[in-house]
PDB file of all heavy atoms in Angstrom:
ATOM      1  N   LEU A 687      91.376 114.269  72.665  1.00  0.00           N
ATOM      2  CA  LEU A 687      90.254 113.590  72.293  1.00  0.00           C
ATOM      3  C   LEU A 687      88.990 113.849  73.257  1.00  0.00           C
ATOM      4  O   LEU A 687      87.875 113.930  72.891  1.00  0.00           O
ATOM      5  CB  LEU A 687      90.428 112.085  72.125  1.00  0.00           C
ATOM      6  CG  LEU A 687      91.332 111.724  70.993  1.00  0.00           C
ATOM      7  CD1 LEU A 687      91.693 110.227  70.957  1.00  0.00           C
ATOM      8  CD2 LEU A 687      90.904 112.211  69.611  1.00  0.00           C
ATOM      9  N   ILE A 688      89.366 113.958  74.587  1.00  0.00           N
ATOM     10  CA  ILE A 688      88.406 114.158  75.538  1.00  0.00           C
ATOM     11  C   ILE A 688      87.925 115.748  75.742  1.00  0.00           C
ATOM     12  O   ILE A 688      86.754 116.025  75.829  1.00  0.00           O
ATOM     13  CB  ILE A 688      88.764 113.673  77.008  1.00  0.00           C
ATOM     14  CG1 ILE A 688      89.065 112.262  76.884  1.00  0.00           C
ATOM     15  CG2 ILE A 688      87.835 114.014  78.020  1.00  0.00           C
ATOM     16  CD1 ILE A 688      89.710 111.655  78.136  1.00  0.00           C
ATOM     17  N   THR A 689      88.977 116.571  75.649  1.00  0.00           N
ATOM     18  CA  THR A 689      88.626 118.014  75.914  1.00  0.00           C
ATOM     19  C   THR A 689      88.780 118.885  74.774  1.00  0.00           C
ATOM     20  O   THR A 689      88.370 120.038  74.838  1.00  0.00           O
ATOM     21  CB  THR A 689      89.764 118.504  77.024  1.00  0.00           C
ATOM     22  OG1 THR A 689      91.031 118.513  76.402  1.00  0.00           O
ATOM     23  CG2 THR A 689      89.754 117.678  78.253  1.00  0.00           C
ATOM     24  N   GLY A 690      89.464 118.335  73.657  1.00  0.00           N
ATOM     25  CA  GLY A 690      89.648 119.272  72.545  1.00  0.00           C
ATOM     26  C   GLY A 690      90.793 120.261  72.631  1.00  0.00           C
ATOM     27  O   GLY A 690      91.080 121.025  71.862  1.00  0.00           O
ATOM     28  N   LYS A 691      91.564 120.223  73.776  1.00  0.00           N
ATOM     29  CA  LYS A 691      92.667 121.178  74.037  1.00  0.00           C
ATOM     30  C   LYS A 691      93.931 120.572  73.498  1.00  0.00           C
ATOM     31  O   LYS A 691      94.135 119.444  73.465  1.00  0.00           O
ATOM     32  CB  LYS A 691      92.772 121.497  75.572  1.00  0.00           C
ATOM     33  CG  LYS A 691      91.491 122.212  76.133  1.00  0.00           C
ATOM     34  CD  LYS A 691      91.653 122.529  77.583  1.00  0.00           C
ATOM     35  CE  LYS A 691      90.473 123.182  78.141  1.00  0.00           C
ATOM     36  NZ  LYS A 691      90.545 123.519  79.607  1.00  0.00           N
ATOM     37  N   SER A 692      94.879 121.450  73.052  1.00  0.00           N
ATOM     38  CA  SER A 692      96.119 121.051  72.545  1.00  0.00           C
ATOM     39  C   SER A 692      97.278 122.010  72.886  1.00  0.00           C
ATOM     40  O   SER A 692      96.966 123.208  73.282  1.00  0.00           O
ATOM     41  CB  SER A 692      96.022 120.873  71.042  1.00  0.00           C
ATOM     42  OG  SER A 692      95.598 122.140  70.451  1.00  0.00           O
ATOM     43  N   SER A 693      98.464 121.537  72.591  1.00  0.00           N
ATOM     44  CA  SER A 693      99.660 122.398  72.989  1.00  0.00           C
ATOM     45  C   SER A 693     100.637 122.598  71.907  1.00  0.00           C
ATOM     46  O   SER A 693     101.431 123.538  71.975  1.00  0.00           O
ATOM     47  CB  SER A 693     100.432 121.824  74.235  1.00  0.00           C
ATOM     48  OG  SER A 693     100.770 120.550  73.895  1.00  0.00           O
ATOM     49  N   ALA A 694     100.629 121.797  70.844  1.00  0.00           N
ATOM     50  CA  ALA A 694     101.543 121.935  69.771  1.00  0.00           C
ATOM     51  C   ALA A 694     101.347 123.183  68.933  1.00  0.00           C
ATOM     52  O   ALA A 694     100.085 123.624  68.892  1.00  0.00           O
ATOM     53  CB  ALA A 694     101.619 120.687  68.853  1.00  0.00           C
ATOM     54  N   GLN A 695     102.270 123.842  68.447  1.00  0.00           N
ATOM     55  CA  GLN A 695     102.144 125.177  67.687  1.00  0.00           C
ATOM     56  C   GLN A 695     102.108 124.968  66.159  1.00  0.00           C
ATOM     57  O   GLN A 695     101.492 125.694  65.504  1.00  0.00           O
ATOM     58  CB  GLN A 695     103.176 126.098  68.190  1.00  0.00           C
ATOM     59  CG  GLN A 695     103.131 126.521  69.719  1.00  0.00           C
ATOM     60  CD  GLN A 695     101.867 127.023  70.180  1.00  0.00           C
ATOM     61  OE1 GLN A 695     101.522 128.075  69.743  1.00  0.00           O
ATOM     62  NE2 GLN A 695     101.120 126.314  70.957  1.00  0.00           N
ATOM     63  N   THR A 696     102.942 124.046  65.681  1.00  0.00           N
ATOM     64  CA  THR A 696     103.090 123.987  64.256  1.00  0.00           C
ATOM     65  C   THR A 696     103.188 122.401  63.856  1.00  0.00           C
ATOM     66  O   THR A 696     103.762 121.642  64.521  1.00  0.00           O
ATOM     67  CB  THR A 696     104.526 124.595  63.868  1.00  0.00           C
ATOM     68  OG1 THR A 696     104.510 125.960  64.166  1.00  0.00           O
ATOM     69  CG2 THR A 696     104.589 124.498  62.279  1.00  0.00           C
ATOM     70  N   PHE A 697     102.499 122.028  62.780  1.00  0.00           N
ATOM     71  CA  PHE A 697     102.531 120.841  62.165  1.00  0.00           C
ATOM     72  C   PHE A 697     103.056 120.723  60.787  1.00  0.00           C
ATOM     73  O   PHE A 697     102.928 121.787  60.050  1.00  0.00           O
ATOM     74  CB  PHE A 697     101.159 120.155  62.163  1.00  0.00           C
ATOM     75  CG  PHE A 697     100.770 119.361  63.492  1.00  0.00           C
ATOM     76  CD1 PHE A 697     100.453 119.911  64.606  1.00  0.00           C
ATOM     77  CD2 PHE A 697     100.754 117.962  63.374  1.00  0.00           C
ATOM     78  CE1 PHE A 697     100.264 119.254  65.742  1.00  0.00           C
ATOM     79  CE2 PHE A 697     100.558 117.199  64.523  1.00  0.00           C
ATOM     80  CZ  PHE A 697     100.182 117.872  65.643  1.00  0.00           C
ATOM     81  N   ALA A 698     103.700 119.644  60.325  1.00  0.00           N
ATOM     82  CA  ALA A 698     104.089 119.615  58.933  1.00  0.00           C
ATOM     83  C   ALA A 698     103.829 118.138  58.559  1.00  0.00           C
ATOM     84  O   ALA A 698     104.399 117.161  59.062  1.00  0.00           O
ATOM     85  CB  ALA A 698     105.648 119.774  58.794  1.00  0.00           C
ATOM     86  N   ALA A 699     103.078 117.996  57.508  1.00  0.00           N
ATOM     87  CA  ALA A 699     102.660 116.626  57.001  1.00  0.00           C
ATOM     88  C   ALA A 699     103.488 116.385  55.711  1.00  0.00           C
ATOM     89  O   ALA A 699     103.351 117.126  54.707  1.00  0.00           O
ATOM     90  CB  ALA A 699     101.132 116.447  56.697  1.00  0.00           C
ATOM     91  N   GLY A 700     104.408 115.452  55.765  1.00  0.00           N
ATOM     92  CA  GLY A 700     105.205 114.955  54.597  1.00  0.00           C
ATOM     93  C   GLY A 700     104.479 113.923  53.786  1.00  0.00           C
ATOM     94  O   GLY A 700     103.333 113.553  54.092  1.00  0.00           O
ATOM     95  N   GLY A 701     105.168 113.383  52.823  1.00  0.00           N
ATOM     96  CA  GLY A 701     104.531 112.314  52.011  1.00  0.00           C
ATOM     97  C   GLY A 701     104.122 111.139  52.800  1.00  0.00           C
ATOM     98  O   GLY A 701     103.058 110.621  52.622  1.00  0.00           O
ATOM     99  N   TYR A 702     105.038 110.685  53.672  1.00  0.00           N
ATOM    100  CA  TYR A 702     104.741 109.517  54.410  1.00  0.00           C
ATOM    101  C   TYR A 702     105.023 109.700  55.951  1.00  0.00           C
ATOM    102  O   TYR A 702     104.936 108.758  56.810  1.00  0.00           O
ATOM    103  CB  TYR A 702     105.727 108.320  54.025  1.00  0.00           C
ATOM    104  CG  TYR A 702     105.410 107.843  52.606  1.00  0.00           C
ATOM    105  CD1 TYR A 702     106.151 108.235  51.617  1.00  0.00           C
ATOM    106  CD2 TYR A 702     104.276 107.063  52.374  1.00  0.00           C
ATOM    107  CE1 TYR A 702     105.996 107.741  50.314  1.00  0.00           C
ATOM    108  CE2 TYR A 702     104.071 106.529  51.153  1.00  0.00           C
ATOM    109  CZ  TYR A 702     104.903 107.017  50.096  1.00  0.00           C
ATOM    110  OH  TYR A 702     104.649 106.501  48.739  1.00  0.00           O
ATOM    111  N   HIS A 703     105.266 110.941  56.354  1.00  0.00           N
ATOM    112  CA  HIS A 703     105.584 111.209  57.784  1.00  0.00           C
ATOM    113  C   HIS A 703     104.957 112.549  58.141  1.00  0.00           C
ATOM    114  O   HIS A 703     104.544 113.362  57.421  1.00  0.00           O
ATOM    115  CB  HIS A 703     107.047 111.121  58.055  1.00  0.00           C
ATOM    116  CG  HIS A 703     107.777 112.332  57.491  1.00  0.00           C
ATOM    117  ND1 HIS A 703     107.943 112.527  56.243  1.00  0.00           N
ATOM    118  CD2 HIS A 703     108.508 113.308  58.106  1.00  0.00           C
ATOM    119  CE1 HIS A 703     108.607 113.697  55.988  1.00  0.00           C
ATOM    120  NE2 HIS A 703     108.977 114.132  57.150  1.00  0.00           N
ATOM    121  N   THR A 704     104.936 112.724  59.503  1.00  0.00           N
ATOM    122  CA  THR A 704     104.455 113.936  60.103  1.00  0.00           C
ATOM    123  C   THR A 704     105.411 114.423  61.217  1.00  0.00           C
ATOM    124  O   THR A 704     106.001 113.679  61.944  1.00  0.00           O
ATOM    125  CB  THR A 704     103.062 113.759  60.681  1.00  0.00           C
ATOM    126  OG1 THR A 704     102.212 113.183  59.682  1.00  0.00           O
ATOM    127  CG2 THR A 704     102.352 115.090  61.056  1.00  0.00           C
ATOM    128  N   CYS A 705     105.437 115.721  61.314  1.00  0.00           N
ATOM    129  CA  CYS A 705     106.370 116.312  62.504  1.00  0.00           C
ATOM    130  C   CYS A 705     105.493 117.422  63.131  1.00  0.00           C
ATOM    131  O   CYS A 705     104.704 118.005  62.589  1.00  0.00           O
ATOM    132  CB  CYS A 705     107.658 116.798  61.947  1.00  0.00           C
ATOM    133  SG  CYS A 705     108.852 115.630  61.329  1.00  0.00           S
ATOM    134  N   ALA A 706     105.852 117.654  64.432  1.00  0.00           N
ATOM    135  CA  ALA A 706     105.158 118.681  65.204  1.00  0.00           C
ATOM    136  C   ALA A 706     106.194 119.487  66.063  1.00  0.00           C
ATOM    137  O   ALA A 706     107.089 118.798  66.660  1.00  0.00           O
ATOM    138  CB  ALA A 706     104.050 118.079  66.059  1.00  0.00           C
ATOM    139  N   VAL A 707     105.834 120.736  66.251  1.00  0.00           N
ATOM    140  CA  VAL A 707     106.705 121.651  67.108  1.00  0.00           C
ATOM    141  C   VAL A 707     105.819 122.101  68.333  1.00  0.00           C
ATOM    142  O   VAL A 707     104.686 122.469  68.055  1.00  0.00           O
ATOM    143  CB  VAL A 707     107.174 122.857  66.451  1.00  0.00           C
ATOM    144  CG1 VAL A 707     108.046 123.683  67.366  1.00  0.00           C
ATOM    145  CG2 VAL A 707     108.079 122.542  65.200  1.00  0.00           C
ATOM    146  N   SER A 708     106.305 121.904  69.524  1.00  0.00           N
ATOM    147  CA  SER A 708     105.608 122.185  70.677  1.00  0.00           C
ATOM    148  C   SER A 708     105.635 123.728  71.028  1.00  0.00           C
ATOM    149  O   SER A 708     106.524 124.417  70.346  1.00  0.00           O
ATOM    150  CB  SER A 708     105.970 121.443  71.874  1.00  0.00           C
ATOM    151  OG  SER A 708     107.195 121.917  72.440  1.00  0.00           O
ATOM    152  N   ALA A 709     104.929 124.180  71.914  1.00  0.00           N
ATOM    153  CA  ALA A 709     104.921 125.574  72.354  1.00  0.00           C
ATOM    154  C   ALA A 709     106.366 125.836  72.897  1.00  0.00           C
ATOM    155  O   ALA A 709     106.744 127.158  72.975  1.00  0.00           O
ATOM    156  CB  ALA A 709     103.838 125.866  73.452  1.00  0.00           C
ATOM    157  N   THR A 710     107.120 124.974  73.461  1.00  0.00           N
ATOM    158  CA  THR A 710     108.383 125.131  73.980  1.00  0.00           C
ATOM    159  C   THR A 710     109.542 124.917  72.924  1.00  0.00           C
ATOM    160  O   THR A 710     110.707 124.977  73.265  1.00  0.00           O
ATOM    161  CB  THR A 710     108.653 124.352  75.206  1.00  0.00           C
ATOM    162  OG1 THR A 710     108.416 122.926  74.909  1.00  0.00           O
ATOM    163  CG2 THR A 710     107.701 124.670  76.256  1.00  0.00           C
ATOM    164  N   GLY A 711     109.175 124.602  71.630  1.00  0.00           N
ATOM    165  CA  GLY A 711     110.148 124.387  70.575  1.00  0.00           C
ATOM    166  C   GLY A 711     110.609 122.959  70.471  1.00  0.00           C
ATOM    167  O   GLY A 711     111.532 122.676  69.690  1.00  0.00           O
ATOM    168  N   GLY A 712     110.042 122.043  71.281  1.00  0.00           N
ATOM    169  CA  GLY A 712     110.432 120.676  71.061  1.00  0.00           C
ATOM    170  C   GLY A 712     109.932 120.172  69.713  1.00  0.00           C
ATOM    171  O   GLY A 712     108.969 120.568  69.183  1.00  0.00           O
ATOM    172  N   LEU A 713     110.641 119.097  69.235  1.00  0.00           N
ATOM    173  CA  LEU A 713     110.269 118.630  67.855  1.00  0.00           C
ATOM    174  C   LEU A 713     110.223 117.042  67.866  1.00  0.00           C
ATOM    175  O   LEU A 713     111.097 116.393  68.328  1.00  0.00           O
ATOM    176  CB  LEU A 713     111.417 119.027  66.937  1.00  0.00           C
ATOM    177  CG  LEU A 713     111.308 118.692  65.445  1.00  0.00           C
ATOM    178  CD1 LEU A 713     109.935 119.273  64.889  1.00  0.00           C
ATOM    179  CD2 LEU A 713     112.432 119.188  64.641  1.00  0.00           C
ATOM    180  N   VAL A 714     109.092 116.554  67.408  1.00  0.00           N
ATOM    181  CA  VAL A 714     108.767 115.127  67.296  1.00  0.00           C
ATOM    182  C   VAL A 714     108.361 114.850  65.885  1.00  0.00           C
ATOM    183  O   VAL A 714     107.772 115.628  65.256  1.00  0.00           O
ATOM    184  CB  VAL A 714     107.776 114.611  68.348  1.00  0.00           C
ATOM    185  CG1 VAL A 714     108.429 114.713  69.741  1.00  0.00           C
ATOM    186  CG2 VAL A 714     106.557 115.356  68.270  1.00  0.00           C
ATOM    187  N   CYS A 715     108.561 113.542  65.474  1.00  0.00           N
ATOM    188  CA  CYS A 715     108.095 113.088  64.139  1.00  0.00           C
ATOM    189  C   CYS A 715     107.643 111.619  64.331  1.00  0.00           C
ATOM    190  O   CYS A 715     107.928 110.945  65.281  1.00  0.00           O
ATOM    191  CB  CYS A 715     109.141 113.117  63.178  1.00  0.00           C
ATOM    192  SG  CYS A 715     109.810 114.797  62.820  1.00  0.00           S
ATOM    193  N   TRP A 716     106.744 111.272  63.357  1.00  0.00           N
ATOM    194  CA  TRP A 716     106.271 109.801  63.334  1.00  0.00           C
ATOM    195  C   TRP A 716     105.881 109.433  61.898  1.00  0.00           C
ATOM    196  O   TRP A 716     105.712 110.314  61.055  1.00  0.00           O
ATOM    197  CB  TRP A 716     105.066 109.662  64.298  1.00  0.00           C
ATOM    198  CG  TRP A 716     103.895 110.515  64.037  1.00  0.00           C
ATOM    199  CD1 TRP A 716     102.784 110.203  63.234  1.00  0.00           C
ATOM    200  CD2 TRP A 716     103.628 111.829  64.499  1.00  0.00           C
ATOM    201  NE1 TRP A 716     101.846 111.185  63.207  1.00  0.00           N
ATOM    202  CE2 TRP A 716     102.412 112.220  63.950  1.00  0.00           C
ATOM    203  CE3 TRP A 716     104.441 112.727  65.239  1.00  0.00           C
ATOM    204  CZ2 TRP A 716     101.892 113.500  64.192  1.00  0.00           C
ATOM    205  CZ3 TRP A 716     103.848 114.022  65.437  1.00  0.00           C
ATOM    206  CH2 TRP A 716     102.556 114.366  64.900  1.00  0.00           C
ATOM    207  N   GLY A 717     105.812 108.103  61.700  1.00  0.00           N
ATOM    208  CA  GLY A 717     105.399 107.617  60.320  1.00  0.00           C
ATOM    209  C   GLY A 717     106.452 106.958  59.662  1.00  0.00           C
ATOM    210  O   GLY A 717     107.427 106.326  60.225  1.00  0.00           O
ATOM    211  N   GLY A 718     106.491 106.963  58.289  1.00  0.00           N
ATOM    212  CA  GLY A 718     107.513 106.425  57.490  1.00  0.00           C
ATOM    213  C   GLY A 718     108.928 106.918  57.749  1.00  0.00           C
ATOM    214  O   GLY A 718     108.998 108.190  58.029  1.00  0.00           O
ATOM    215  N   ASN A 719     109.940 106.131  57.596  1.00  0.00           N
ATOM    216  CA  ASN A 719     111.277 106.490  57.967  1.00  0.00           C
ATOM    217  C   ASN A 719     112.387 105.837  57.143  1.00  0.00           C
ATOM    218  O   ASN A 719     113.483 105.739  57.565  1.00  0.00           O
ATOM    219  CB  ASN A 719     111.512 106.229  59.384  1.00  0.00           C
ATOM    220  CG  ASN A 719     112.642 106.955  60.053  1.00  0.00           C
ATOM    221  OD1 ASN A 719     112.996 108.144  59.623  1.00  0.00           O
ATOM    222  ND2 ASN A 719     113.221 106.439  61.073  1.00  0.00           N
ATOM    223  N   ASP A 720     111.973 105.481  55.913  1.00  0.00           N
ATOM    224  CA  ASP A 720     112.995 104.811  55.018  1.00  0.00           C
ATOM    225  C   ASP A 720     114.176 105.496  54.780  1.00  0.00           C
ATOM    226  O   ASP A 720     115.288 105.091  54.698  1.00  0.00           O
ATOM    227  CB  ASP A 720     112.289 104.388  53.704  1.00  0.00           C
ATOM    228  CG  ASP A 720     111.277 103.299  53.828  1.00  0.00           C
ATOM    229  OD1 ASP A 720     111.240 102.706  54.973  1.00  0.00           O
ATOM    230  OD2 ASP A 720     110.574 103.066  52.891  1.00  0.00           O
ATOM    231  N   ASP A 721     114.075 106.836  54.743  1.00  0.00           N
ATOM    232  CA  ASP A 721     115.280 107.715  54.401  1.00  0.00           C
ATOM    233  C   ASP A 721     115.786 108.486  55.680  1.00  0.00           C
ATOM    234  O   ASP A 721     116.533 109.412  55.518  1.00  0.00           O
ATOM    235  CB  ASP A 721     114.828 108.732  53.289  1.00  0.00           C
ATOM    236  CG  ASP A 721     114.480 108.053  51.989  1.00  0.00           C
ATOM    237  OD1 ASP A 721     115.364 107.366  51.438  1.00  0.00           O
ATOM    238  OD2 ASP A 721     113.331 108.213  51.549  1.00  0.00           O
ATOM    239  N   GLY A 722     115.258 108.030  56.808  1.00  0.00           N
ATOM    240  CA  GLY A 722     115.731 108.823  57.942  1.00  0.00           C
ATOM    241  C   GLY A 722     114.978 110.093  58.208  1.00  0.00           C
ATOM    242  O   GLY A 722     115.524 110.979  58.973  1.00  0.00           O
ATOM    243  N   GLN A 723     113.868 110.294  57.638  1.00  0.00           N
ATOM    244  CA  GLN A 723     113.210 111.554  57.689  1.00  0.00           C
ATOM    245  C   GLN A 723     112.587 111.965  59.006  1.00  0.00           C
ATOM    246  O   GLN A 723     112.100 113.072  59.263  1.00  0.00           O
ATOM    247  CB  GLN A 723     112.123 111.755  56.526  1.00  0.00           C
ATOM    248  CG  GLN A 723     111.009 110.625  56.663  1.00  0.00           C
ATOM    249  CD  GLN A 723     111.252 109.543  55.728  1.00  0.00           C
ATOM    250  OE1 GLN A 723     112.342 108.873  55.698  1.00  0.00           O
ATOM    251  NE2 GLN A 723     110.315 109.204  54.825  1.00  0.00           N
ATOM    252  N   LEU A 724     112.541 110.916  59.992  1.00  0.00           N
ATOM    253  CA  LEU A 724     112.043 111.260  61.378  1.00  0.00           C
ATOM    254  C   LEU A 724     113.197 111.804  62.179  1.00  0.00           C
ATOM    255  O   LEU A 724     112.953 112.335  63.251  1.00  0.00           O
ATOM    256  CB  LEU A 724     111.507 109.939  61.965  1.00  0.00           C
ATOM    257  CG  LEU A 724     110.312 109.287  61.190  1.00  0.00           C
ATOM    258  CD1 LEU A 724     109.801 108.224  62.118  1.00  0.00           C
ATOM    259  CD2 LEU A 724     109.286 110.198  60.846  1.00  0.00           C
TER     260      LEU A 724
END
């Protein structure tokens, strides 16, 4: 938000959740999780 710089390479927006892949291949998700989609 301060610099406009970022490091993640890929994003995926689902119906109620979002996931991201970093430059090193790490994977994180956030949002709705009723079905374990995170």
Side-chain angles (χ1 to χ4, degrees):
L687 295 176
I688 296 171
T689 68
K691 296 180 179 180
S692 58
S693 60
Q695 302 299 297
T696 303
F697 268 75
Y702 294 102
H703 72 294
T704 309
C705 295
V707 180
S708 77
T710 56
L713 183 57
V714 292
C715 297
W716 60 94
N719 197 27
D720 289 350
D721 297 299
Q723 58 263 53
L724 302 189

